[in-house]
PDB file of all heavy atoms in Angstrom:
ATOM      1  N   ARG E 326     -18.143  -2.076  36.039  1.00  0.00           N
ATOM      2  CA  ARG E 326     -17.444  -0.831  35.624  1.00  0.00           C
ATOM      3  C   ARG E 326     -16.859  -0.029  36.776  1.00  0.00           C
ATOM      4  O   ARG E 326     -16.801   1.199  36.754  1.00  0.00           O
ATOM      5  CB  ARG E 326     -18.386   0.038  34.780  1.00  0.00           C
ATOM      6  CG  ARG E 326     -18.747  -0.641  33.450  1.00  0.00           C
ATOM      7  CD  ARG E 326     -19.604   0.254  32.588  1.00  0.00           C
ATOM      8  NE  ARG E 326     -19.697  -0.242  31.186  1.00  0.00           N
ATOM      9  CZ  ARG E 326     -20.468  -1.231  30.808  1.00  0.00           C
ATOM     10  NH1 ARG E 326     -21.211  -1.887  31.691  1.00  0.00           N
ATOM     11  NH2 ARG E 326     -20.524  -1.570  29.544  1.00  0.00           N
ATOM     12  N   ILE E 327     -16.449  -0.763  37.813  1.00  0.00           N
ATOM     13  CA  ILE E 327     -15.822  -0.138  38.974  1.00  0.00           C
ATOM     14  C   ILE E 327     -14.325  -0.137  38.807  1.00  0.00           C
ATOM     15  O   ILE E 327     -13.644   0.749  39.294  1.00  0.00           O
ATOM     16  CB  ILE E 327     -16.310  -0.861  40.270  1.00  0.00           C
ATOM     17  CG1 ILE E 327     -17.809  -0.587  40.464  1.00  0.00           C
ATOM     18  CG2 ILE E 327     -15.481  -0.453  41.469  1.00  0.00           C
ATOM     19  CD1 ILE E 327     -18.424  -1.437  41.566  1.00  0.00           C
ATOM     20  N   SER E 343      -7.288  -0.488  37.566  1.00  0.00           N
ATOM     21  CA  SER E 343      -7.396   0.782  38.296  1.00  0.00           C
ATOM     22  C   SER E 343      -8.872   1.144  38.456  1.00  0.00           C
ATOM     23  O   SER E 343      -9.744   0.600  37.807  1.00  0.00           O
ATOM     24  CB  SER E 343      -6.644   1.887  37.525  1.00  0.00           C
ATOM     25  OG  SER E 343      -7.177   1.989  36.213  1.00  0.00           O
ATOM     26  N   LEU E 344      -9.089   2.087  39.375  1.00  0.00           N
ATOM     27  CA  LEU E 344     -10.454   2.550  39.624  1.00  0.00           C
ATOM     28  C   LEU E 344     -10.955   3.364  38.453  1.00  0.00           C
ATOM     29  O   LEU E 344     -10.194   4.207  37.938  1.00  0.00           O
ATOM     30  CB  LEU E 344     -10.510   3.429  40.871  1.00  0.00           C
ATOM     31  CG  LEU E 344     -10.280   2.746  42.192  1.00  0.00           C
ATOM     32  CD1 LEU E 344     -10.203   3.774  43.315  1.00  0.00           C
ATOM     33  CD2 LEU E 344     -11.411   1.779  42.532  1.00  0.00           C
ATOM     34  N   THR E 345     -12.195   3.201  38.096  1.00  0.00           N
ATOM     35  CA  THR E 345     -12.869   4.062  37.155  1.00  0.00           C
ATOM     36  C   THR E 345     -13.465   5.251  37.942  1.00  0.00           C
ATOM     37  O   THR E 345     -13.455   5.252  39.151  1.00  0.00           O
ATOM     38  CB  THR E 345     -13.988   3.298  36.410  1.00  0.00           C
ATOM     39  OG1 THR E 345     -14.973   2.933  37.416  1.00  0.00           O
ATOM     40  CG2 THR E 345     -13.451   2.075  35.691  1.00  0.00           C
ATOM     41  N   ASP E 346     -14.076   6.170  37.202  1.00  0.00           N
ATOM     42  CA  ASP E 346     -14.795   7.262  37.885  1.00  0.00           C
ATOM     43  C   ASP E 346     -15.890   6.654  38.752  1.00  0.00           C
ATOM     44  O   ASP E 346     -16.121   7.106  39.865  1.00  0.00           O
ATOM     45  CB  ASP E 346     -15.379   8.229  36.866  1.00  0.00           C
ATOM     46  CG  ASP E 346     -14.297   9.095  36.204  1.00  0.00           C
ATOM     47  OD1 ASP E 346     -13.197   9.209  36.785  1.00  0.00           O
ATOM     48  OD2 ASP E 346     -14.577   9.680  35.137  1.00  0.00           O
ATOM     49  N   GLU E 347     -16.582   5.642  38.246  1.00  0.00           N
ATOM     50  CA  GLU E 347     -17.644   4.967  38.999  1.00  0.00           C
ATOM     51  C   GLU E 347     -17.054   4.312  40.249  1.00  0.00           C
ATOM     52  O   GLU E 347     -17.628   4.343  41.337  1.00  0.00           O
ATOM     53  CB  GLU E 347     -18.371   3.937  38.141  1.00  0.00           C
ATOM     54  CG  GLU E 347     -19.382   3.107  38.872  1.00  0.00           C
ATOM     55  CD  GLU E 347     -20.591   3.909  39.389  1.00  0.00           C
ATOM     56  OE1 GLU E 347     -20.722   5.063  39.084  1.00  0.00           O
ATOM     57  OE2 GLU E 347     -21.417   3.264  40.120  1.00  0.00           O
ATOM     58  N   GLY E 348     -15.848   3.721  40.106  1.00  0.00           N
ATOM     59  CA  GLY E 348     -15.230   3.083  41.239  1.00  0.00           C
ATOM     60  C   GLY E 348     -14.850   4.087  42.338  1.00  0.00           C
ATOM     61  O   GLY E 348     -15.018   3.823  43.520  1.00  0.00           O
ATOM     62  N   ARG E 349     -14.341   5.240  41.907  1.00  0.00           N
ATOM     63  CA  ARG E 349     -14.027   6.305  42.903  1.00  0.00           C
ATOM     64  C   ARG E 349     -15.306   6.800  43.580  1.00  0.00           C
ATOM     65  O   ARG E 349     -15.320   7.019  44.799  1.00  0.00           O
ATOM     66  CB  ARG E 349     -13.290   7.435  42.227  1.00  0.00           C
ATOM     67  CG  ARG E 349     -11.816   7.158  42.009  1.00  0.00           C
ATOM     68  CD  ARG E 349     -11.069   8.363  41.470  1.00  0.00           C
ATOM     69  NE  ARG E 349     -11.293   8.573  40.062  1.00  0.00           N
ATOM     70  CZ  ARG E 349     -10.712   7.837  39.095  1.00  0.00           C
ATOM     71  NH1 ARG E 349      -9.903   6.857  39.412  1.00  0.00           N
ATOM     72  NH2 ARG E 349     -10.981   8.059  37.852  1.00  0.00           N
ATOM     73  N   ARG E 350     -16.395   6.909  42.840  1.00  0.00           N
ATOM     74  CA  ARG E 350     -17.660   7.323  43.424  1.00  0.00           C
ATOM     75  C   ARG E 350     -18.165   6.294  44.447  1.00  0.00           C
ATOM     76  O   ARG E 350     -18.578   6.638  45.549  1.00  0.00           O
ATOM     77  CB  ARG E 350     -18.741   7.539  42.365  1.00  0.00           C
ATOM     78  CG  ARG E 350     -20.061   8.098  42.952  1.00  0.00           C
ATOM     79  CD  ARG E 350     -21.259   7.902  42.028  1.00  0.00           C
ATOM     80  NE  ARG E 350     -21.552   6.534  41.712  1.00  0.00           N
ATOM     81  CZ  ARG E 350     -22.130   5.659  42.546  1.00  0.00           C
ATOM     82  NH1 ARG E 350     -22.481   6.035  43.763  1.00  0.00           N
ATOM     83  NH2 ARG E 350     -22.410   4.431  42.164  1.00  0.00           N
ATOM     84  N   VAL E 351     -18.128   5.025  44.070  1.00  0.00           N
ATOM     85  CA  VAL E 351     -18.570   3.932  44.970  1.00  0.00           C
ATOM     86  C   VAL E 351     -17.753   3.951  46.259  1.00  0.00           C
ATOM     87  O   VAL E 351     -18.270   3.906  47.345  1.00  0.00           O
ATOM     88  CB  VAL E 351     -18.449   2.573  44.243  1.00  0.00           C
ATOM     89  CG1 VAL E 351     -18.563   1.417  45.236  1.00  0.00           C
ATOM     90  CG2 VAL E 351     -19.538   2.437  43.194  1.00  0.00           C
ATOM     91  N   LEU E 352     -16.425   4.068  46.096  1.00  0.00           N
ATOM     92  CA  LEU E 352     -15.542   4.062  47.264  1.00  0.00           C
ATOM     93  C   LEU E 352     -15.833   5.263  48.140  1.00  0.00           C
ATOM     94  O   LEU E 352     -15.890   5.156  49.376  1.00  0.00           O
ATOM     95  CB  LEU E 352     -14.082   4.025  46.832  1.00  0.00           C
ATOM     96  CG  LEU E 352     -13.054   3.768  47.879  1.00  0.00           C
ATOM     97  CD1 LEU E 352     -13.305   2.476  48.630  1.00  0.00           C
ATOM     98  CD2 LEU E 352     -11.664   3.761  47.292  1.00  0.00           C
ATOM     99  N   ARG E 353     -16.008   6.429  47.550  1.00  0.00           N
ATOM    100  CA  ARG E 353     -16.317   7.657  48.291  1.00  0.00           C
ATOM    101  C   ARG E 353     -17.653   7.501  49.063  1.00  0.00           C
ATOM    102  O   ARG E 353     -17.746   7.845  50.226  1.00  0.00           O
ATOM    103  CB  ARG E 353     -16.380   8.852  47.321  1.00  0.00           C
ATOM    104  CG  ARG E 353     -16.550  10.178  47.998  1.00  0.00           C
ATOM    105  CD  ARG E 353     -16.567  11.323  46.994  1.00  0.00           C
ATOM    106  NE  ARG E 353     -17.569  11.128  45.961  1.00  0.00           N
ATOM    107  CZ  ARG E 353     -17.296  10.928  44.665  1.00  0.00           C
ATOM    108  NH1 ARG E 353     -16.047  10.858  44.233  1.00  0.00           N
ATOM    109  NH2 ARG E 353     -18.289  10.763  43.806  1.00  0.00           N
TER     110      ARG E 353
END
Side-chain angles (χ1 to χ4, degrees):
R326 294 183 167 79
I327 293 172
S343 57
L344 291 173
T345 63
D346 288 341
E347 175 67 6
R349 281 186 283 284
R350 184 198 62 75
V351 165
L352 191 57
R353 186 178 54 247

